[in-house]
Amino acid sequence: MKILVLNSGSSSIKFKVYREENNELNEIASGIVEKIGEEISYIKYKSIKGEIRYNEIVKNHEEGLKHIINVLTDKEKGVIENLKEIVGVGHRVVHGGDKIWEPTVIDEYVEKVIEEFSRMAPLHNPANLLGIRSAKKLFSNAVHVAVFDTAFHATLPPEAYLYAIPYKYYEKYKIRRYGFHGTSHMYVSRKAAEILGKPYEELRIITCHLGNGASVAAVYKGKSIETSMGLTPLEGLVMGTRSGDIDPSIMYFLAKWENMTIDEVYELLNKKSGVYGLSEMGNDMRIIEERALKGDERAMLTLKVYVHRIQKYIGAYMAIMGGVDVIVFTAGVGEKSPITREMVLGHMADFFGIKLDPERNENPKKYNGIISTDDSRVVVMVVPTNEELVIAQETLKKVLSSRK
Ligand code: ADP
């Protein structure tokens, strides 16, 4: 059995194919169609049989999927001969609002919910839906499953998910914290417990997902009880292009002083802020770090603001959980940036007993991901995330139960 996992963004579709063998899922192919709808798009594909790369005009998601099928069925480097081999398609969906949290087989109702909550995730849900609708057409025999980014955070208590605005707006519009990157926070926190050989249900874990989008979660005895993203992925940490936390009145003043519409301010906070807006040198943390180390003041300042925000959340979550046993770093920056990890935790030895080992921090893989010293009170780890694997596993479960 083979499972296809799709992560459809506004201008890209990322994909992975897994083969089920003895109840285990092994990745056999992956790739991306980038810059959909732009002048020229890039198709990149890698499988156990080789790589394919080409450029083509790709007008929309359906065309993008056709290219994915094209490479997946390639005579030489493809991994499927017939589309029917794909028994399940797992879709990453950002927002299910308060209506759907769990992985769910996609029917008309599910599509309606994704559409309804486009109002809270205008940058994500419409793209997710385009991917779903195209995939349902092209893989009409497969079971299609939506796995929501919010899922893992369904366990947040009201004191964590309510905002202090008139309660009636929670009732009327369901304005509350939902949290995102749930699949990643769940995967890396479980994996950390597994690597340490400790019961997941007994640990207090703080997971830092630092990618282009970034969030922190407090996982208390196996359940997410706090997370930094909110109603939308805009809240919380400083991200690639998103501001994260700001004083809400900044929206009001920017609109007034810059004569911007509320839509323009929203776009500015989502796409022109964060690392990109502060540094004015793009949103690639590799470049920011490189320049900061060479003495560029703005790059260093950006890095400091970025790190400071992460520290605030770690401190807050330690207070909420009454301590912490494990801190996990994951995603692009979290996995690959020893400097960021050192800047975040380097000074926490005295009071918190968090001690990083410099050699382990440079080479986490050599140490099973554990980058703290043996006598550190808190274990610090780097655990590569694998959201697609979780989506594939959830999809496989639904495929199997649909056959009973
Ligand atoms: P996405 O959120 O798009 O899935 P990723 O998890 O791949 O993104 O993370 C992308 C981010 O990781 C980018 O800001 C990129 O610059 C950063 N990154 C990748 N490699 C490194 C590295 N070696 N050092 C610092 N940052 C890195």
Side-chain angles (χ1 to χ4, degrees), residues 20-274:
E20 187 263 340
E21 283 155 325
N22 309 321
N23 270 334
E24 253 193 48
L25 284 165
N26 294 310
E27 185 185 319
I28 54 172
S30 65
I32 186 166
V33 181
E34 281 177 303
K35 298 192 185 283
I36 295 173
E38 293 186 29
E39 238 167 74
I40 195 83
S41 309
Y42 308 126
I43 294 102
K44 297 177 189 159
Y45 166 83
K46 200 166 86 181
S47 80
I48 42 175
K49 295 184 176 165
E51 283 187 31
I52 303 175
R53 277 168 184 249
Y54 60 93
N55 301 342
E56 186 75 67
I57 300 166
V58 181
K59 285 205 213 86
N60 51 40
H61 284 69
E62 191 166 334
E63 283 190 20
L65 266 175
K66 284 184 181 157
H67 284 284
I68 293 175
I69 291 172
N70 182 37
V71 290
L72 286 176
T73 53
D74 185 80
K75 282 227 160 58
E76 212 183 307
K77 294 170 181 168
V79 289
I80 53 173
E81 282 174 22
N82 186 315
L83 293 194
K84 286 188 183 153
E85 288 168 40
I86 301 284
V87 293
V89 183
H91 298 266
R92 179 189 180 193
V93 181
V94 165
H95 219 313
D98 65 332
K99 296 247 168 79
I100 314 175
W101 299 88
E102 296 297 311
T104 311
V105 174
I106 301 171
D107 55 14
E108 247 174 67
Y109 171 72
V110 176
E111 283 188 38
K112 244 169 72 188
V113 170
I114 299 171
E115 197 157 18
E116 179 186 341
F117 286 94
S118 286
R119 68 189 159 93
M120 289 184 189
L123 305 173
H124 297 95
N125 271 28
N128 298 156
L129 205 51
L130 280 174
I132 288 170
R133 289 189 171 143
S134 312
K136 277 182 111 176
K137 262 196 233 166
L138 296 167
F139 295 91
S140 52
N141 289 303
V143 177
H144 290 258
V145 178
V147 179
F148 293 88
D149 247 35
T150 45
F152 186 53
H153 304 302
T155 45
L156 255 59
E159 61 269 29
Y161 72 65
L162 282 176
Y163 292 108
I165 58 172
Y167 191 80
K168 63 180 177 194
Y169 296 125
Y170 165 61
E171 293 177 308
K172 191 171 174 189
Y173 300 113
K174 302 298 169 199
I175 293 179
R176 52 159 285 176
R177 176 182 313 288
Y178 290 94
F180 303 89
H181 291 144
T183 314
S184 177
H185 290 296
M186 178 181 82
Y187 176 81
V188 299
S189 56
R190 277 194 187 155
K191 191 86 189 170
E194 189 188 310
I195 293 170
L196 297 173
K198 293 196 172 155
Y200 188 47
E201 295 72 21
E202 288 175 14
L203 292 171
R204 293 163 300 183
I205 308 176
I206 295 176
T207 45
C208 307
H209 176 111
L210 311 177
N212 204 10
S215 64
V216 192
V219 185
Y220 185 74
K221 298 183 176 175
K223 290 196 172 111
S224 170
I225 60 158
E226 244 299 10
T227 190
S228 57
M229 283 176 165
L231 173 74
T232 76
L234 183 56
E235 192 183 346
L237 298 182
V238 175
M239 308 179 216
T241 61
R242 293 184 208 133
S243 63
D245 299 336
I246 56 165
D247 180 337
S249 32
I250 293 172
M251 291 194 85
Y252 171 76
F253 289 123
L254 276 180
K256 249 180 135 165
W257 298 337
E258 287 284 310
N259 203 14
M260 290 163 102
T261 64
I262 204 70
D263 285 339
E264 285 166 344
V265 179
Y266 188 62
E267 166 123 352
L268 177 108
L269 295 175
N270 270 293
K271 297 194 173 162
K272 299 268 186 299
S273 301

Side-chain angles (χ1 to χ4, degrees), residues 14 209-213 283-286 289 331-333 336-337:
K14 289 188 200 149
H209 176 111
L210 311 177
N212 204 10
N283 64 347
D284 191 332
M285 281 303 275
R286 280 167 288 203
E289 280 181 11
V333 184
K336 294 183 194 131
S337 170

Side-chain angles (χ1 to χ4, degrees), residues 325-345:
D325 304 302
V326 188
I327 296 175
V328 182
F329 287 92
T330 193
V333 184
E335 290 168 28
K336 294 183 194 131
S337 170
I339 300 167
T340 305
R341 298 190 297 255
E342 163 65 29
M343 282 176 77
V344 172
L345 296 179

